[in-house]
Amino acid sequence: MTIGRREILKLVAGSSLAAFAPTLARAQTVGGGSGYRAIVALFLYGGNDSNNLIVPTDERHADYAAARGSTLAIPQSSLLPLTGTSYGLHPAAAPLADIWDEGALSWMFNTGPLLQPMTRQLYEDRPDLRPANLFSHDAQQNLWQTSGAQAELPTGWLGRVGDGFVDAGRSAASVSLSGAQRAMIGDRNQPLLISGSNLSLNGYDPDSTSARDISRRAAFDAMLNAGQSNALAQITSVIMQGDIARGAQLNTILNGEGSAVDAAFVDQNGAPVTGSLATQLKRIARMIEGRDQLGATRQTFMATTGGFDNHRDQVGGPTDGLHAGLTANFSRCVYAFYNTMKVLGMEDAVTLFSMSDFARTFRGNGSRGSDHAWGSHQFVVGGALQPRMLHGQFPEMALGGPDDARTNGRWIPQTSIDEYAGALARWVGVADADMPYVFPNWSTWNGGGRGPVPFFA
């Protein structure tokens, strides 16, 4: 049986830890620069109500309060001042306010999927220019994760960034800490998917000296070495043995002792931050800590948390309730992650950014909740940012006004996903010539006064 180059590539790509395998193809080159850099995507599933995450505190607050209504609107006195600006944060987002004060957080106003720049008149007159399946969870999650606008692309923009890292021979380029995510899938990049705590082969401990474990290892090794005259068996054996070794290495990085991450992953008061999202971000921090062992110089990561689809009972009172609890959780986790990067001395080399399906309607729905909208406000965290910047255009808070796609506050984005994500892709190492590969609609958003958002100093 003859196994060709193409078949070998397919087998390696199917390996569970293929992200660590050296590349055998270099079809496209994306990524450059020296040293280590990583971007960390935080996806807030369900549609985060960013209209209550960052709120004007000047005379516009009266418009905000009138449109949102007494049920959803946060009183001006309860908002946390965003130092040096006319905005305040949700009272549950105090950790983000602290990062802002350190100069390591920026805001991106009113961004979302767009085929081309859009006005209310264009929205009404040209349905063909609207993004596909607006206001739908699945469709908008897909558009955010793939940078598509009218088609659900099979690969994600982070995955296409990772294609270039693989082509450049970089190891462990893309890692999802929350299972399969469309954003991480590339053409050649096979992301490493981590969801459990143990990545080593169950019952196969290479360091154990017990008679039982020695016997198990011997039996398994004999099975892998059987039938070596068969080319397919040889390749399969090599892949499995490599996966076992790499899995044991990664398991040590994620779960071993002696890491500085656990002690550093704390909130502003020094209390440990725990929970599902905290675990994901701690594992990302451990992989960044172990970057030299992994041979990684450029990486993309993804963590997720959900529960933001709050059609009912979004609030208890204006400053508490379900959304307040969700906001407190991701804010504490982001603070703990950034604190950990500082302890590791990596705050200038790692940038975390948020994404979500969409924002919520500005006007409530009568059930103490809000419904699916479009443009949303996002945040970016990292030491390499220009300090304390507000980017983009805040919408005019008028129901049925020039920024409202309908009559209940579904803001038409003024900055595209491509411009938002493009800044992050360029910073992590994507060359200008390769931006159209990562963002298929790039020509629309680069030139004529448009382009990547100037997040970085």
Side-chain angles (χ1 to χ4, degrees):
M1 177 181 181
T2 301
I3 302 294
R5 180 184 181 87
R6 183 179 300 275
E7 285 70 27
I8 291 174
L9 282 170
K10 287 180 179 178
L11 285 167
V12 172
S15 172
S16 62
L17 291 173
F20 289 89
T23 184
L24 298 176
R26 300 174 66 89
Q28 173 101 13
T29 301
V30 180
S34 59
Y36 177 90
R37 283 187 180 179
I39 51 177
V40 180
L42 170 58
F43 205 99
L44 308 176
Y45 271 106
N48 176 43
D49 186 10
S50 57
N51 287 315
N52 268 10
L53 183 57
I54 182 166
V55 180
T57 54
D58 54 15
E59 65 277 2
R60 292 173 295 169
H61 188 273
D63 296 331
Y64 156 84
R68 293 231 85 181
S70 59
T71 300
L72 293 181
I74 300 173
Q76 191 169 13
S77 60
S78 297
L79 292 165
L80 300 174
L82 200 61
T83 306
T85 77
S86 56
Y87 294 90
L89 300 188
H90 192 294
L96 298 186
D98 286 353
I99 302 175
W100 169 271
D101 287 341
E102 288 190 35
L105 186 144
S106 292
W107 288 94
M108 179 74 251
F109 290 147
N110 200 19
T111 181
L114 287 169
L115 181 66
Q116 66 171 57
M118 178 68 70
T119 64
R120 181 180 172 91
Q121 193 65 52
L122 267 179
Y123 176 85
E124 293 175 345
D125 295 345
R126 295 287 304 275
D128 59 304
L129 297 180
R130 301 174 188 172
N133 299 313
L134 267 177
F135 320 129
S136 159
H137 285 295
D138 289 346
Q140 300 313 296
Q141 290 163 9
N142 183 288
L143 298 187
W144 263 100
Q145 294 193 29
T146 68
S147 81
Q150 288 191 308
E152 297 191 0
L153 304 180
T155 61
W157 69 267
L158 284 164
R160 295 191 293 273
V161 169
D163 281 345
F165 298 156
V166 170
D167 294 338
R170 290 178 169 135
S171 299
S174 300
V175 185
S176 169
L177 279 294
S178 55
Q181 299 290 329
R182 179 69 66 91
M184 307 299 285
I185 298 172
D187 224 8
R188 297 167 302 284
N189 170 44
Q190 298 292 324
L192 179 63
L193 311 179
I194 300 175
S195 56
S197 60
N198 189 346
L199 292 164
S200 59
L201 183 65
N202 188 31
Y204 187 97
D205 181 356
D207 299 319
S208 174
T209 58
S210 74
R212 175 180 157 181
D213 287 345
I214 290 173
S215 176
R216 281 181 171 179
R217 289 201 303 271
F220 191 76
D221 290 341
M223 181 183 72
L224 289 179
N225 292 323
Q228 292 302 300
S229 60
N230 181 292
L232 179 59
Q234 292 176 22
I235 294 170
T236 303
S237 176
V238 168
I239 291 172
M240 291 186 70
Q241 288 173 328
D243 276 1
I244 291 168
R246 287 184 287 268
Q249 178 194 42
L250 189 56
N251 194 58
T252 298
I253 290 172
L254 292 180
N255 303 302
E257 298 179 357
S259 169
V261 170
D262 290 345
F265 207 87
V266 296
D267 65 14
Q268 315 99 292
N269 302 314
V273 180
T274 60
S276 174
L277 178 58
T279 297
Q280 293 175 57
L281 291 175
K282 283 175 70 174
R283 288 176 177 170
I284 291 172
R286 277 187 171 243
M287 292 191 72
I288 292 169
E289 183 184 36
R291 63 197 178 279
D292 292 340
Q293 294 170 260
L294 299 174
T297 56
R298 292 289 189 278
Q299 289 187 280
T300 61
F301 295 97
M302 189 165 183
T304 70
T305 186
F308 292 89
D309 191 23
N310 305 146
H311 292 278
R312 300 181 62 86
D313 300 324
Q314 175 177 319
V315 297
T319 62
D320 60 15
L322 181 57
H323 185 253
L326 294 167
T327 299
N329 178 57
F330 74 69
S331 298
R332 290 181 74 235
C333 288
V334 168
Y335 181 94
F337 180 79
Y338 179 66
N339 186 67
T340 303
M341 291 302 100
K342 290 193 296 181
V343 169
L344 297 179
M346 297 299 290
E347 69 272 24
D348 292 345
V350 179
T351 300
L352 179 147
F353 62 99
S354 68
M355 299 189 287
S356 190
D357 317 20
F358 33 62
R360 315 297 296 186
T361 52
F362 206 55
R363 184 172 62 194
N365 58 15
S367 298
R368 304 187 71 82
S370 53
D371 300 322
H372 303 174
W374 188 0
S376 58
H377 312 315
Q378 306 295 337
F379 57 86
V380 185
V381 173
L385 297 171
Q386 296 190 66
R388 293 176 290 278
M389 295 292 291
L390 304 174
H391 298 279
Q393 180 179 323
F394 202 84
E396 182 178 329
M397 295 176 291
L399 301 181
D403 291 327
D404 190 354
R406 296 194 178 174
T407 59
N408 55 356
R410 287 177 159 133
W411 309 134
I412 299 169
Q414 295 302 305
T415 301
S416 71
I417 293 172
D418 305 63
E419 293 170 290
Y420 174 58
L424 298 155
R426 177 181 280 177
W427 178 80
V428 82
V430 176
D432 287 351
D434 295 315
M435 293 294 271
Y437 171 75
V438 178
F439 303 101
N441 198 29
W442 185 244
S443 61
T444 301
W445 301 108
N446 189 46
R450 312 292 305 217
V453 179
F455 289 126
F456 299 97

